[in-house]
Amino acid sequence: MPIALIGADGAVVDSVNAFMPGAVADADFFKAHAANPSDTPLFGTPVLEASTKKWLIRSSRRLNDAAGRFAGVVVVMIDPSYFVDDYDRLNVDAAGALLLLTRDTGLSVGRAGEQLILSDRIDFVAPAGPASPPEQLLIRQPFDQVTRIYSFRDMPRYALLAVVGISQQVAMANFGQRRNVYFGAASVATLLIVAVVATLMRQSLRLRSSMRAASEAQSMLRAAAQGSLDAVFLLKAWRPDGLDGAVEDFIFADVNERAADMLGKPRADVLNSKACQLVPILRQPCFFGQYLTVLHSGVPLEDEFEVRLSSGAKHWLHHQIVAIEDGVAVTTRDISARKQDELETRNNRAFLQSLIEHLPVLVYVKSARPETFGQMVIWNKAAEGVTGYAAAQVIGKHGADAFAPGFGLHGDDAGDRELVAAGGVIELPAKALRGADGTLRHLHTVSMPLFDQHGQTEYILSIAEDVSLRLRHEQALRENQAELAAVTDSSPLGLVRLDPARQCTYANRPFESITGLARGAALGQGWTAAVHPDDQARLAAALARLARNHQPFQATLRGLHRDGKAAWLSVKIAAILVDDAVAGYVGSFDDITLLRESEVALLESEARLRTIADTLPAMIAYIDAEQVYRFHNIAYEREFSQTGQHVLGQSVRDTVGEEHYRRLAPHIARVLGGETLSFEEDDELEGGERCLEVTYIPQWGEDSAGVVGFHVMRQDITMQKREKRRLLKLAQVDALTGLTNRAGFLQKLSDAMRQCQDGQDGASLMAVMYMDIDRFKPVNDTHGHSVGDALLRAFSTRLTHTMRASDTIARLGGDEFTIIMEKIARPEDASVLAAKIVTAMQAPFELDGVTVAISASIGLAYYRNEDLSPAALLKQADVLLYQAKQAGRNTYRAGALAA
């Protein structure tokens, strides 16, 4: 059947089987459903469906939403032939006819025997004369060869006329039999027969009227039940002990087709069967128990519940139970789909709530409903973290009630009403916010209205991002750019910045003075005017080569000042690479006119420079791109003369040997790639090792197309390295006691904690002791600083003898000492050593004829790969030392080991 779901606005939401709606919103049945809260079905006048040429009867029923408001209409178009399919259940002979006629369209549908009739040309008239019964009809044009007696019954609810025809032959056959009986009776009984016939005729008329009424009621009830969306059950109580016995089961007195489908059995198999015996699930309390309750109390019952069918599937059912004569009428509907939708809705709501709560941006929603306008309804975790206000402090309140004055995030009701009136999005790039702790932040806020199904603004959604850090970075960037501009303007070189198309985007002030071009004139292609026209082609070729190989370009070009004076410029241009892509270029211009003029003088002084190089103690050499020695000074020659080698014209590999060359090869590759580098090289000589500082400087060709060689400087820094190590050691040793001082201790503590963190299984354990000498100040004040210093040295000696050789003992200053114990197996090992120190320090100290009695107090802290800084670990030991002193001194206190 064509079925359609019509929304509250009259639009078709969904349809099946070629439903063709008309102007539904203006239809009388739609308006009737909208105005009447009852969900009673309405039946319309049969109409002819244009596409299929079928006559259809419209059946409609109101739909409500969860709040009981009108949500639309479900419409079913029913083929009228369905109403006559079961005509054989009526008391009609084999040649009899059952017809349904419409008053408005003249459509007729019915059955005559096995023949289905569907026509708009069958017409009936009332017989003439007062002797004809009022319910009798005469057919104008018979549709077959059978002569019938027709009677009718009006069905105003469906706008139909029900017509039943009994064949005249059957009716007359009964009459003939009865007539023969009458003719055979004695004439003496004529008066009695006439009286009896008269009585029977009156009773027959009454009985026929009652039968027609019952038949009509049954037909109407069956049509309504069959067209219902619910499964309908009529159950009669079954008592094995008679009417006074207890009800042990119910009998299916009648069911509609939807009910039979729900039970999974043919309707004929269901009728007159015991309900609990046929369907054992009905024995459950939600079925049988409630049937008994309604049967005995007479109070209707409505309920929703979940059941598991015999197939194993779970279904949600909604049923209504109404008491009838010695039984109950049950209407049941499968609401599993609706329940599933409700579950999905709850899950979606939970998902959205979780998503909002975990978004990294602030999300807050205010109500725009008239009764709660301006109240906060959503306040996520990010909003709590940024503002310092918890959701419990905000939700359900207006901004002025929830936040401190000057908070800055919430707008007043007037601003919210302007947003609602505008109906669009409002964006604030940097809205100031002062949090609960007084911190000033800036938020990028976007606010927008959210509409309900009627297009009315229901909420105001705001999404904000904390852009305080970005604004600070932008400010820092502007400051850096200003600083960079100041630095470049103070440079002696003229600097230009080119984009990937080699268009100038920046030129500094020295560029103006060197080239004579104003900064504005240098932008775009204007910067190339600083180069002499005769060298423009050379510059363009070099730039094209730079774009291909990304190798820096360096050359000496002729320049042309704006005053017409020629100059020599040293031009260097390098590519700016970002992810191996050219993002631009940077170039420098240096006026080397005076340098060029002095080249002659430089040539003349080359000999002098060589003499100077030979007098330098450093070993200097030049190696070409083929890794062949082309120059070296006297110091270099003296180095290789010890082995009797002559290196000029020899390769580096042949000179230093294969093993040494393998160590130098990576450095040589880097310098030939254009990189200046410096490194240290260890060398073995007779009598010991030495350390050399080696510097490689690339030598570029005239056209800067590549590195043609590199300069080598080697200098012996063995003595400097030894002196540096000696000074470093002295800087970490306490001058009085010879123990590690504070700086050495802190360095060792940091290294020990890092090694503990790098332990293979994370189970490495170490301990730190923090101790001082009890009653040291009285000794120092009584006997003088010399005795005090002697006591510190003696204390250090005794402490060193008490501890393990692997432990690090340090004097932080005064009478404060610390010990680092690494790789201890158990916490008890450190405790034993702490107790041993306390006992050892109880013995008197003999100091140059003075006997001194002191003791020691110790704080012992453990460390095992915790997230703890050296300062925090030392602070723990210091706190434990204080506890030991509070306990009367001459003892130690150990901390607990973290789990």
Side-chain angles (χ1 to χ4, degrees):
M1 293 181 288
I3 302 175
L5 180 63
I6 311 298
D9 56 356
V12 176
V13 177
D14 196 4
S15 65
V16 294
N17 297 335
F19 178 85
M20 300 294 291
V24 178
D26 297 326
D28 293 336
F29 79 94
F30 186 87
K31 293 179 179 179
H33 282 304
N36 187 358
S38 173
D39 63 347
T40 302
L42 298 180
F43 294 85
T45 302
V47 295
L48 182 65
E49 208 282 321
S51 61
T52 61
K53 303 301 180 181
K54 287 186 177 182
W55 288 92
L56 300 174
I57 298 175
R58 182 188 66 248
S59 173
S60 60
R61 187 170 185 174
R62 173 187 170 111
L63 298 176
N64 293 332
D65 61 14
R69 297 187 297 267
F70 176 65
V73 176
V74 60
V75 179
V76 182
M77 305 300 291
I78 304 173
D79 188 338
S81 62
Y82 294 159
F83 290 105
V84 296
D85 281 343
D86 295 330
Y87 82 103
D88 55 336
R89 293 197 177 95
L90 301 176
N91 188 16
V92 181
D93 57 87
L98 174 64
L99 302 172
L100 293 177
L101 287 79
T102 62
R103 292 191 298 270
D104 299 327
T105 63
L107 172 68
S108 301
V109 60
R111 281 191 179 276
E114 296 299 323
Q115 177 185 3
L116 177 62
I117 300 171
L118 183 62
S119 174
D120 57 354
R121 298 184 179 181
I122 299 177
D123 193 12
F124 291 89
V125 297
S132 300
E135 66 273 13
Q136 185 175 353
L137 292 176
L138 296 178
I139 189 169
R140 289 183 182 272
Q141 182 67 36
F143 51 85
D144 58 10
Q145 302 302 318
V146 179
T147 302
R148 297 180 180 86
I149 301 173
Y150 294 93
S151 62
F152 75 96
R153 180 74 174 186
D154 191 15
M155 296 189 292
R157 180 180 180 186
Y158 303 98
L160 297 175
L161 195 71
V163 178
V164 178
I166 302 175
S167 65
Q168 185 173 350
Q169 179 181 359
V170 173
M172 294 307 294
N174 294 333
F175 175 76
Q177 293 176 1
R178 193 171 295 172
R179 182 186 58 185
N180 294 333
V181 173
Y182 291 156
F183 287 158
S187 57
V188 293
T190 300
L191 295 176
L192 179 59
I193 292 174
V194 171
V196 171
V197 168
T199 302
L200 290 176
M201 288 181 65
R202 285 197 303 270
Q203 294 297 330
S204 177
L205 289 174
R206 293 176 182 175
L207 179 59
R208 189 190 306 176
S209 177
S210 298
M211 290 178 64
R212 281 198 303 268
S215 177
E216 178 184 355
Q218 183 180 9
S219 299
M220 292 176 62
L221 179 60
R222 182 164 305 284
Q226 294 297 338
S228 174
L229 297 176
D230 298 333
V232 180
F233 303 86
L234 297 181
L235 304 176
K236 288 293 186 177
W238 180 76
R239 300 177 178 86
D241 298 330
L243 294 177
D244 296 332
V247 177
E248 295 189 3
D249 205 339
F250 286 88
I251 302 296
F252 285 111
D254 197 4
V255 297
N256 65 353
E257 293 297 335
R258 190 175 296 274
D261 292 340
M262 179 175 289
L263 297 177
K265 300 179 182 299
R267 181 173 180 275
D269 295 344
V270 174
L271 295 178
N272 299 320
S273 300
K274 293 181 180 179
C276 297
Q277 181 178 345
L278 183 65
V279 187
I281 192 175
L282 295 180
R283 183 63 71 180
Q284 295 183 6
C286 59
F287 293 106
F288 190 79
Q290 293 184 351
Y291 296 165
L292 290 178
T293 300
V294 173
L295 176 65
H296 295 148
S297 65
V299 178
L301 184 146
E302 185 174 0
D303 193 13
E304 293 182 357
F305 52 90
E306 185 181 25
V307 297
R308 184 184 294 274
L309 303 181
S310 58
S311 62
K314 291 183 178 180
H315 286 263
W316 275 92
L317 300 179
H318 173 274
H319 70 189
Q320 293 175 305
I321 309 172
V322 180
I324 59 176
E325 183 67 25
D326 197 28
V328 292
V330 182
T331 58
T332 303
R333 181 180 299 179
D334 189 337
I335 59 171
S336 302
R338 177 169 65 82
K339 282 292 184 179
Q340 183 65 27
D341 291 342
E342 292 177 358
L343 179 60
E344 290 181 359
T345 300
R346 289 196 296 268
N347 291 340
N348 291 338
R349 186 179 293 113
F351 169 75
L352 290 175
Q353 183 66 30
S354 176
L355 178 63
I356 290 173
E357 286 296 323
H358 293 88
L359 283 175
V361 295
L362 289 77
V363 178
Y364 54 98
V365 178
K366 290 187 283 188
S367 173
R369 296 174 177 174
E371 64 274 12
T372 58
F373 193 90
Q375 289 185 3
M376 197 73 70
V377 295
I378 291 179
W379 187 259
N380 73 341
K381 295 291 185 183
E384 290 183 336
V386 171
T387 65
Y389 288 92
Q393 300 175 263
V394 176
I395 293 178
K397 299 181 181 178
H398 289 80
D401 300 330
F403 305 118
F407 176 61
L409 179 63
H410 67 282
D412 54 14
D413 285 354
D416 292 338
R417 294 188 189 281
E418 290 179 3
L419 185 147
V420 170
V425 177
I426 295 180
E427 182 175 3
L428 299 177
K431 187 174 185 179
L433 165 71
R434 190 167 298 279
D437 58 355
T439 304
L440 182 64
R441 298 173 181 264
H442 291 84
L443 302 180
H444 177 198
T445 306
V446 178
S447 299
M448 65 196 73
L450 300 179
F451 304 98
D452 61 12
Q453 60 182 351
H454 303 295
Q456 300 297 319
T457 303
E458 189 172 13
Y459 297 103
I460 299 174
L461 168 65
S462 296
I463 301 174
E465 178 187 7
D466 190 349
V467 295
S468 305
L469 182 60
R470 189 191 72 194
L471 294 179
R472 289 196 294 270
H473 286 171
E474 291 176 353
Q475 178 63 26
L477 179 60
R478 289 192 293 270
E479 294 174 356
N480 290 338
Q481 290 174 341
E483 292 176 1
L484 181 60
V487 170
T488 57
D489 286 344
S490 64
S491 172
L493 299 177
L495 302 176
V496 293
R497 169 70 162 79
L498 310 179
D499 63 16
R502 299 190 288 279
Q503 301 290 315
C504 179
T505 59
Y506 170 79
N508 68 346
R509 295 191 183 280
F511 180 82
E512 292 182 330
S513 60
I514 291 174
T515 64
L517 285 174
R519 300 172 75 176
L523 299 179
Q525 283 290 336
W527 69 279
T528 59
V531 179
H532 195 280
D534 294 343
D535 284 352
Q536 290 281 351
R538 183 182 173 193
L539 175 63
L543 291 175
R545 186 166 54 252
L546 174 61
R548 291 194 304 271
N549 58 23
H550 303 164
Q551 294 298 323
F553 159 67
Q554 180 178 359
T556 300
L557 303 176
R558 286 171 293 177
L560 185 62
H561 204 275
R562 291 195 65 184
D563 58 7
K565 183 180 178 181
W568 287 97
L569 301 176
S570 176
V571 181
K572 299 178 182 179
I573 302 178
I576 304 173
L577 299 179
V578 178
D579 296 332
D580 295 330
V582 176
Y585 304 89
V586 61
S588 65
F589 289 75
D590 189 13
D591 189 346
I592 60 170
T593 304
L594 295 177
L595 182 62
R596 290 285 294 188
E597 292 174 352
S598 64
E599 282 185 354
V600 176
L602 289 175
L603 291 174
E604 293 175 353
S605 65
E606 182 178 345
R608 292 193 297 272
L609 292 175
R610 184 176 185 85
T611 301
I612 294 172
D614 287 342
T615 60
L616 291 175
M619 293 173 281
I620 301 174
Y622 174 73
I623 301 172
D624 65 14
E626 303 298 326
Q627 302 185 27
V628 175
Y629 285 95
R630 297 303 179 187
F631 169 82
H632 61 75
N633 67 349
I634 295 297
Y636 220 107
E637 184 178 357
R638 189 180 302 117
E639 173 75 12
F640 285 101
S641 65
Q642 298 176 6
T643 61
Q645 288 182 298
H646 298 282
V647 299
L648 285 180
Q650 300 295 321
S651 68
V652 177
R653 184 192 301 269
D654 295 337
T655 301
V656 302
E658 192 66 36
E659 181 179 354
H660 193 182
Y661 179 76
R662 281 197 299 270
R663 298 197 298 270
L664 295 179
H667 302 297
I668 295 174
R670 290 171 61 188
V671 71
L672 290 178
E675 181 180 354
T676 299
L677 64 152
S678 181
F679 59 93
E680 293 183 358
E681 182 180 3
D682 293 329
D683 194 7
E684 292 185 1
L685 291 178
E686 293 182 3
E689 296 182 354
R690 67 173 178 172
C691 182
L692 299 174
E693 183 181 59
V694 183
T695 301
Y696 285 175
I697 304 173
Q699 177 63 52
W700 294 90
E702 285 297 326
D703 58 355
S704 298
V707 177
V708 297
F710 61 95
H711 301 277
V712 180
M713 295 183 64
R714 302 174 78 234
Q715 188 171 1
D716 191 341
I717 59 171
T718 305
M719 297 303 296
Q720 293 92 319
K721 293 280 287 187
R722 291 175 182 172
E723 182 65 14
K724 184 177 179 181
R725 286 195 294 268
R726 187 183 70 81
L727 293 176
L728 180 60
K729 182 176 181 182
L730 290 176
Q732 295 185 349
V733 174
D734 180 54
L736 178 63
T737 62
L739 299 176
T740 303
N741 64 6
R742 178 182 290 272
F745 166 76
L746 293 177
Q747 180 63 44
K748 179 61 179 177
L749 179 59
S750 179
D751 294 342
M753 292 177 68
R754 185 165 52 254
Q755 292 176 3
C756 188
Q757 292 173 353
D758 296 339
Q760 293 181 355
D761 56 358
S764 298
L765 179 64
M766 61 173 287
V768 174
M769 294 186 189
Y770 200 137
M771 71 182 74
D772 66 5
I773 302 174
D774 299 331
R775 297 179 297 278
F776 173 75
K777 189 174 185 304
V779 172
N780 206 32
D781 294 343
T782 302
H783 301 288
H785 292 295
S786 60
V787 174
D789 292 345
L791 176 58
L792 291 173
R793 285 191 293 271
F795 185 89
S796 302
T797 302
R798 189 177 295 181
L799 186 60
T800 302
H801 292 162
T802 305
M803 298 305 296
R804 305 177 303 176
S806 60
D807 298 333
T808 301
I809 306 173
R811 175 177 174 242
L812 300 187
D815 63 337
E816 294 181 343
F817 293 81
T818 56
I819 300 174
I820 301 174
M821 302 178 62
E822 300 182 72
K823 297 179 181 179
I824 58 178
R826 302 172 302 166
E828 293 80 2
D829 297 342
S831 299
V832 169
L833 282 174
K836 185 177 179 182
I837 293 172
V838 172
T839 303
M841 298 307 171
Q842 293 172 354
F845 287 85
E846 297 294 337
L847 308 171
D848 298 329
V850 178
T851 301
V852 176
I854 54 104
S855 61
S857 298
I858 303 174
L860 175 60
Y862 297 101
Y863 178 77
R864 177 186 285 162
N865 197 21
E866 294 90 4
D867 185 11
L868 199 66
S869 66
L873 179 60
L874 191 61
K875 180 66 176 177
Q876 288 183 5
D878 189 17
V879 171
L880 293 168
L881 170 61
Y882 178 78
Q883 294 177 2
K885 285 183 171 293
Q886 291 295 315
R889 297 184 175 88
N890 194 25
T891 185
Y892 73 93
R893 286 292 181 267
L897 184 62

